[in-house]
Amino acid sequence: MKKAILAASIFLVIALLVVIWQATHLPRPIALTPTLTGAEEFCLTCHNDLPEISPSHPIETFGCVLCHGGERLALDADLAHATMRGGRNPSDLGVAELSCGGSDCHTGSSELQRDHVGRVLTSLQTTYAGAIASIRFTYGAQSSLPAQMAIEAVQALHPPAGPNDFRPQRLAAFDPQAESHAFIQAFGHNCLTCHLRAEPLPGPDYARLTGCAACHTPTAGRDLNQPVHQLTTVIPYTQCNTCHNRGNYDLRQMSFVPRPDAPTDRLHDYYQPITQFTRCEYELDCLDCHTRTEAMGDGYLYNDQAEQQYVQCKTCHGDLESPPLTRTIRNEADIALRMAYLNPQIPLQIGDTIVVTEKGEPIWNLRQLADGSFEMIAKVTQVRYPVPLVIGSTCTQNPDQQESRYCHACHAVER
Amino acid sequence: MRPSFFHHLHPPSIPARQSRFRYTLGAGGYSVFLILVLLFSGALLMFYYIPTPAEAGPSIQMITFLVPFGALVRNLHYWSAQILVVVAAIHMLRVIFTGAYSPPRRFNYLLGLSLFVLSLFLDFTGYVLRWDEGVRWALVAGTNLVHSIPTIGPGLYRILMGGAQPGPATLTRFYSWHIFGLVVILLGIGVWHIFRVRRDGGIAVPPPEQRQTPERISRFELVRREGLAALIGIAVLLLVAAFIPAPLAPPMSEVTIQVADSKAPWFFLWVQQLLKSGDAFWMGVFVPLAVLLFLGSLPYLLTAIRSDELGRWFPPSGRLAQILVLALVLAILGLTIIAALPPPA
């Protein structure tokens, strides 16, 4: 009996040693208490090597869980990740309101244009309403062109601006299976790859995330299997290119035909055949001219791209009779300063005169200099471009023909 | 040697043959041992566990990942509880297959059966305290069974849940039952059960040839054997707890983010399987109660074991009971295995 008790005691001591060894070899938890939540989280135990996502989202303030969700106390990967919003991308539009939104963040006041998430949901890049309407009209599913449907049902954020405002107030969800025409079904199956809710096509040329990160996380040309922990407002044209200029729709097959090449030379192989474009369009980045509401919506629903995208050549260059519209920054509340603050390579300050669009949106990287001339600083490359004006030039444009296509008649670059 | 407090908890001597492992399987003793481990580890867990819907899940994660040795204590508690169900079932089968339920032990058999039911209730209430997605199905389905009882079901459901649906009151009630109500009843009946073992003549009646001059072992020897069993038991439990984590899922939320585990706890899988084949009340409440009634009535309905057959495994005069219980065990095991198999793709 004594021997048995001795053996059992040794067995117990071994078991205790195993337990102690195991407990002392666990990873040391790394705690973080973000000031916005005040709740301790331990994500950094494994993710300490990730770069900070952006200067606007310092980790000491935001932590990880506020945006990503997940189990903040769990040190088991499966459990910790089980409740993450949107998997690896919390800005997916299915969860962006929870991750990026909220009245203190990007679902703030519409007057201050802090209602980004709500506006993006109304944007054509999300609704895809123009393409859907065009196809449904072509194949007889709707009797007129104005949009009736979107990728998901959506309501405009604002009431009609007046009796002549014919923009839709709501769009129903487009359900290809409910369509009777085979081509519309095929369109639903083959062609819905470039809106903000859609997963991208495979390949580095299409490498983008969904939702906010589709534009704000620079993924172009990168391997999406590797984490890209970055948010930016400095969005190069290559990121836009993960959707745009990537191929053509074949209306006979009702399919998307990706272009086989990866464009590298913007002048010669960036655009589609027969496209007309000027120097601005192959040297600048898209966001140098196109505004935030063109890309992200303004809370109204639009019927097609031509309605939502309103910046023309004249926005920056003016016309025969007048220079471009301008505004002098009078105080710190001017939204142009906020936007320049997010891209601090451009030294905008109170007193500067900047170009604004006909809707009053600042082209805040296009300033009027002391001598009255205009200079654009490219947001991504910081290259300075003098901007010539139409007024006083030898241009013989018809004052009634102010859309860019008329400018292209003379100024298009020949490849 | 003067007997210590612990020696005095035992009878001065017991029949040697009836205290052998091959007769008792040590199951009753191990049940007591596991309950002591459960009380100790449960008391430690109470320092960290927060019984509110918002904090239950996070506090268990805190215990599991951040409290020093917290995972070990939680795993010890979990595995002791699971093993207790198995060991208590083995103890009950030993009693049935040795005919030890015969008079004068009929009443104590009922006490033991109620202890087994209590340990299932304790297991189930403890399972619910996780309040995570892994227990959602069991909580909803299990308590809806109560609701399905004719006439008294809805009222009983409200008493059990503290409302018309699972909520904060439910968690408080399950917690109170788990750490207090059921424990007090278990300890009361448990002490009574052990007292009745002594009052009814020790572990079992020795076989006839041993009854006149039974070979006996002293309480000193008995305590030594119990100590040896406890040393082995705690070492095995420590190793199990160190290497096999107790299950844990994301906290229960209003919105189910992932597909919840729709399995009952393993000891109720057979009931879950029955539920697939019929009405909730008949399959989920009536059949389990009938099984319990059948087990409880065994010593009262069937002929008592002949005195000269007592003290051995499988006395011939208890054949009917043995066959019926064996069939019941096989049925429950079979249903459990079917329910545990992954669903056909």
Side-chain angles (χ1 to χ4, degrees):
Chain A
M1 187 52 138
K2 278 185 179 171
K3 280 184 183 168
I5 289 180
L6 181 67
S9 301
I10 292 170
F11 180 38
L12 178 60
V13 168
I14 292 170
L16 282 170
L17 288 175
V18 167
V19 165
I20 292 168
W21 182 88
Q22 192 192 42
T24 50
H25 284 72
L26 291 173
R28 182 178 293 273
I30 300 177
L32 171 71
T33 307
T35 51
L36 277 180
T37 65
E40 208 172 28
E41 56 187 56
F42 291 85
C43 315
L44 295 184
T45 305
C46 298
H47 299 290
N48 210 11
D49 56 342
L50 276 182
E52 190 155 270
I53 193 155
S54 84
S56 308
H57 301 89
I59 192 164
E60 303 78 23
T61 309
F62 288 80
C64 311
V65 174
L66 190 63
C67 304
H68 285 279
E71 296 302 314
R72 61 186 175 88
L73 301 172
L75 295 180
D76 170 77
D78 287 340
L79 179 63
H81 297 163
T83 52
M84 281 176 73
R85 282 190 292 267
R88 292 169 73 170
N89 176 15
S91 81
D92 183 89
L93 293 185
V95 293
E97 179 57 44
L98 291 168
S99 312
C100 314
S103 56
D104 292 334
C105 299
H106 300 289
T107 315
S109 143
S110 61
E111 285 175 16
L112 296 172
Q113 294 196 25
R114 289 189 188 273
D115 55 343
H116 306 88
V117 176
R119 284 191 286 117
V120 165
L121 293 176
T122 64
S123 154
L124 274 171
Q125 300 210 73
T126 303
T127 64
Y128 217 50
I132 295 170
S134 151
I135 295 296
R136 293 188 79 245
F137 174 71
T138 304
Y139 293 100
Q142 62 184 64
S143 57
S144 59
L145 257 177
Q148 299 175 4
M149 293 183 171
I151 296 296
E152 287 196 11
V154 60
Q155 180 130 10
L157 294 185
H158 311 305
N164 294 322
D165 184 355
F166 298 112
R167 290 174 291 196
Q169 275 300 293
R170 63 185 58 80
L171 297 170
F174 173 55
D175 178 7
Q177 298 310 313
E179 299 287 345
S180 53
H181 201 292
F183 267 37
I184 306 179
Q185 293 177 359
F187 166 77
H189 190 257
N190 299 331
C191 305
L192 302 183
T193 57
C194 285
H195 58 86
L196 290 181
R197 294 184 189 272
E199 289 296 329
L201 291 168
D205 298 324
Y206 301 92
R208 63 161 175 85
L209 300 171
T210 58
C212 315
C215 305
H216 288 287
T217 297
T219 48
R222 292 164 85 160
D223 178 5
L224 283 184
N225 293 318
Q226 301 300 317
V228 186
H229 200 240
Q230 189 180 348
L231 284 175
T232 182
T233 56
V234 185
I235 300 162
Y237 78 95
T238 48
Q239 190 65 26
C240 310
N241 236 10
T242 56
C243 276
H244 298 275
N245 301 310
R246 280 303 320 145
N248 279 311
Y249 291 100
D250 181 339
L251 294 178
R252 292 166 304 177
Q253 303 295 324
M254 195 50 79
S255 62
F256 178 68
V257 183
R259 61 190 294 176
D261 61 330
T264 50
D265 176 356
R266 289 186 75 187
L267 173 58
H268 293 102
D269 50 31
Y270 170 49
Y271 288 108
Q272 303 286 315
I274 76 167
T275 313
Q276 286 189 315
F277 54 89
T278 63
R279 185 183 165 202
C280 316
E281 289 158 296
Y282 76 85
E283 281 206 3
L284 297 176
D285 286 280
C286 311
L287 83 171
D288 281 322
C289 301
H290 291 296
T291 66
R292 54 186 349 219
T293 67
E294 282 187 302
M296 297 168 60
D298 59 5
Y300 290 102
L301 293 166
Y302 287 90
N303 289 301
D304 54 36
Q305 184 186 348
E307 270 189 13
Q308 184 172 326
Q309 191 178 309
Y310 68 98
V311 166
Q312 304 284 339
C313 304
K314 65 169 181 177
T315 309
C316 296
H317 297 280
D319 56 26
L320 281 171
E321 292 161 358
S322 49
L325 301 172
T326 58
R327 180 171 83 212
T328 300
I329 297 171
R330 297 290 179 207
N331 57 54
E332 288 182 353
D334 194 305
I335 193 171
L337 285 181
R338 207 166 80 211
M339 294 158 87
Y341 173 79
L342 293 175
N343 184 3
Q345 286 112 331
I346 297 173
L348 204 61
Q349 49 194 322
I350 291 174
D352 281 349
T353 297
I354 55 170
V355 168
V356 295
T357 69
E358 63 198 68
K359 290 186 180 179
E361 286 193 273
I363 311 279
W364 53 274
N365 55 331
L366 176 47
R367 292 181 298 176
Q368 188 169 24
L369 303 179
D371 63 359
S373 66
F374 289 83
E375 181 190 59
M376 173 174 273
I377 304 177
K379 289 177 184 171
V380 177
T381 60
Q382 285 92 52
V383 174
R384 290 168 181 260
Y385 294 94
V387 177
L389 301 188
V390 178
I391 187 170
S393 73
T394 55
C395 179
T396 55
Q397 185 193 51
N398 182 340
D400 297 332
Q401 296 178 337
Q402 291 295 334
E403 292 165 44
S404 300
R405 59 194 162 108
Y406 297 109
C407 308
H408 282 145
C410 292
H411 295 280
V413 173
E414 297 299 330
R415 278 182 273 193
Chain B
M1 188 164 91
R2 279 166 65 84
S4 73
F5 170 75
F6 296 101
H7 293 114
H8 269 294
L9 292 175
H10 300 76
S13 68
I14 58 171
R17 190 173 165 124
Q18 260 41 60
S19 60
R20 292 202 298 191
F21 185 82
R22 73 178 66 161
Y23 183 80
T24 66
L25 305 177
Y30 264 121
S31 296
V32 174
F33 164 77
L34 288 166
I35 287 168
L36 293 176
V37 174
L38 282 162
L39 287 171
F40 178 69
S41 54
L44 291 179
L45 291 174
M46 281 170 63
F47 283 95
Y48 285 93
Y49 178 74
I50 305 173
T52 65
E55 291 297 324
S59 66
I60 294 176
Q61 290 183 16
M62 179 78 88
I63 290 166
T64 307
F65 298 111
L66 301 167
V67 176
F69 295 104
L72 182 77
V73 173
R74 175 167 180 258
N75 294 348
L76 269 179
H77 194 73
Y78 174 81
W79 283 113
S80 301
Q82 311 315 308
I83 297 169
L84 174 63
V85 172
V86 176
V87 168
I90 291 173
H91 181 51
M92 184 164 66
L93 291 178
R94 192 280 290 172
V95 166
I96 292 169
F97 290 149
T98 56
Y101 54 80
S102 273
R105 297 166 188 271
R106 290 197 299 194
F107 181 67
N108 206 19
Y109 170 82
L110 286 186
L111 289 179
L113 189 61
S114 66
L115 286 173
F116 181 67
V117 173
L118 280 168
S119 68
L120 289 181
F121 282 170
L122 273 159
D123 219 326
F124 186 76
T125 50
Y127 180 81
V128 167
L129 296 190
R130 278 166 54 195
W131 209 256
D132 64 25
E133 287 296 334
V135 307
R136 181 196 284 268
W137 187 91
L139 173 65
V140 172
T143 52
N144 277 346
L145 289 182
V146 175
H147 208 281
S148 72
I149 301 171
T151 316
I152 60 164
L156 201 58
Y157 179 89
R158 287 192 79 92
I159 292 171
L160 187 68
M161 303 292 278
Q165 58 187 20
T170 315
L171 185 50
T172 301
R173 288 189 187 195
F174 272 73
Y175 183 63
S176 304
W177 278 114
H178 185 75
I179 64 150
F180 181 73
L182 290 169
V183 174
V184 166
I185 300 171
L186 180 94
L187 291 181
I189 297 180
V191 171
W192 193 4
H193 186 65
I194 295 166
F195 165 81
R196 285 296 305 238
V197 173
R198 287 179 71 170
R199 171 57 55 86
D200 293 338
I203 291 173
V205 181
E209 68 275 13
Q210 295 261 335
R211 284 180 200 160
Q212 294 308 314
T213 53
E215 193 187 325
R216 299 182 78 85
I217 61 165
S218 73
R219 54 167 51 137
F220 296 102
E221 172 66 12
L222 181 57
V223 168
R224 270 197 294 274
R225 287 188 191 180
E226 286 176 356
L228 176 64
L231 282 175
I232 297 169
I234 194 67
V236 169
L237 270 181
L238 278 173
L239 290 176
V240 169
F243 290 103
I244 315 179
L248 191 56
M252 216 184 288
S253 60
E254 293 293 321
V255 187
T256 307
I257 293 170
Q258 56 175 25
V259 179
D261 185 1
S262 57
K263 285 264 168 75
W266 65 270
F267 45 86
F268 284 148
L269 277 177
W270 64 282
V271 181
Q272 186 180 26
Q273 190 60 29
L274 280 174
L275 283 170
K276 290 178 185 164
S277 56
D279 176 73
F281 170 69
W282 289 103
M283 288 300 169
V285 181
F286 182 82
V287 170
L289 279 179
V291 167
L292 197 59
L293 192 68
F294 161 72
L295 286 172
S297 62
L298 269 184
Y300 295 91
L301 293 185
L302 301 180
T303 25
I305 309 297
R306 283 171 46 186
S307 172
D308 60 339
E309 292 174 358
L310 282 174
R312 293 190 183 91
W313 279 86
F314 303 110
S317 55
R319 202 60 89 215
L320 182 58
Q322 292 154 23
I323 290 170
L324 288 175
V325 170
L326 185 65
L328 178 70
V329 169
L330 290 177
I332 289 176
L333 280 179
L335 286 168
T336 303
I337 290 168
I338 294 170
L341 290 175

